Amino acid sequence: MKKILLSAVAVLAFSFANAQELVSSKGENYLPKQGDWSIGFNANSALKFVGNAFNGANGNEVNFNSNDATKLPGFANSVSFVGKNFTSDTTADRYTANLLFSYKKSKSDNDAETAFGLLAGYGKEWRKGTTRLQGFYGADALIGFSSPAKNDTNFLLGAQGFAGVEYFIFPKVALGAQYAFPVTISYEKSGENNTFKFGIGNSPANGATEKTGFGTASVLLNLYF
C-alpha cells in the first residue's frame, strides 16, 4: 500500500511539474522563450484563399480588415504577416507587413490593371499568462505606400495600439485573435486630385474632419521557433 501511495504521489508530482513547465510528452516547450522568433499571418486572408481554391471564385471574403484605415486604397484584399523577436520570455519586437500585388485584365479591353503596395510596421509587444492561454498587448509605428491604379500613388504614416489572446494548440504553434486601433495620416494622389486624410480607428476622413471607427479585429496563426 505504501508503495502504491508513493507511486501515485510521484506521478502527480511529475504531472504537476510538466503542467508548470508547459512541456509536451516529448519534452517540447509550448511557450516561446527569450531568443525565439516567430512568423504569423492573418488567418482571415487564408480562409478566403482556401475558399477560392475550392470553387475558383473570388467572392469568399472572410476579412475583418476591409475598411481598415491602416490599409491604403487597394489594400482590402492584402495579406498580413507578423514577425517577432523575443527579447525576453515576455517581451518581443514586432515587424509587421501588409503586402498587395494584383493583376487584372479584362477580356474586352487590352489594357491590364496592376496594383501593388506595402504597409510596414515596427513595434513592441508585452505578454501575460503562465498557461497555454496567453494575453498580449503593445503598439506599432506604421508607414506605407500603394499604387492601386494607373497614375495613383498613396502614402501613409501612423501608429496603432493592439491587444489580443492566443492559445498554444501545439508546442510553439498558436491560434489567436487581435484587436487593433490605429491613428493615421495619409496622402492620396489620383490623377490631378490630391487628398490628405486623417483616420481614427477604421474610418479615415477627408481633410481635418475627424470620424471615429471601431478599430479592426483579425484571426491569427503564429508559428514560433
Side-chain angles (χ1 to χ4, degrees), residues 153-195:
T153 306
N154 310 300
F155 298 94
L156 175 145
L157 290 173
Q160 68 176 7
F162 62 86
V165 295
E166 62 180 3
Y167 183 78
F168 286 81
I169 55 176
F170 303 112
K172 302 297 181 71
V173 178
L175 285 175
Q178 175 183 283
Y179 172 83
F181 192 90
V183 177
T184 61
I185 299 175
S186 62
Y187 168 77
E188 300 178 6
K189 182 179 184 300
S190 179
E192 299 298 324
N193 298 320
N194 301 319
T195 305

Side-chain angles (χ1 to χ4, degrees), residues 24 63 75-76 82 90 123 137 153 161 170 194:
S24 70
N63 188 350
F75 267 76
V82 179
T90 58
Y137 61 93
T153 306
F170 303 112
N194 301 319

Side-chain angles (χ1 to χ4, degrees), residues 54-193:
F54 274 102
N55 62 17
N58 58 8
N60 296 322
E61 186 164 348
V62 184
N63 188 350
F64 298 111
N65 291 321
S66 58
N67 294 318
D68 189 349
T70 62
K71 290 187 174 180
L72 291 164
F75 267 76
N77 298 323
S78 65
V79 180
S80 301
F81 297 91
V82 179
K84 301 179 188 179
N85 176 23
F86 279 79
T87 54
S88 74
D89 290 352
T90 58
T91 59
D93 293 330
R94 282 175 39 119
Y95 309 90
T96 61
N98 282 340
L99 303 175
L100 169 73
F101 180 81
S102 66
Y103 177 85
K104 182 179 179 181
K105 186 173 182 179
S106 174
K107 294 181 180 179
S108 59
D109 191 347
N110 291 327
D111 292 335
E113 295 181 7
T114 302
F116 66 92
L118 170 66
L119 177 68
Y122 171 77
K124 195 73 175 180
E125 177 179 299
W126 289 267
R127 304 177 67 87
K128 301 288 289 184
T130 57
T131 67
R132 288 162 63 177
L133 180 65
Q134 298 273 296
F136 61 88
Y137 61 93
D140 297 317
L142 305 167
I143 184 171
F145 75 93
S146 70
S147 179
K150 188 176 180 180
N151 299 324
D152 290 0
T153 306
N154 310 300
F155 298 94
L156 175 145
L157 290 173
Q160 68 176 7
F162 62 86
V165 295
E166 62 180 3
Y167 183 78
F168 286 81
I169 55 176
F170 303 112
K172 302 297 181 71
V173 178
L175 285 175
Q178 175 183 283
Y179 172 83
F181 192 90
V183 177
T184 61
I185 299 175
S186 62
Y187 168 77
E188 300 178 6
K189 182 179 184 300
S190 179
E192 299 298 324
N193 298 320

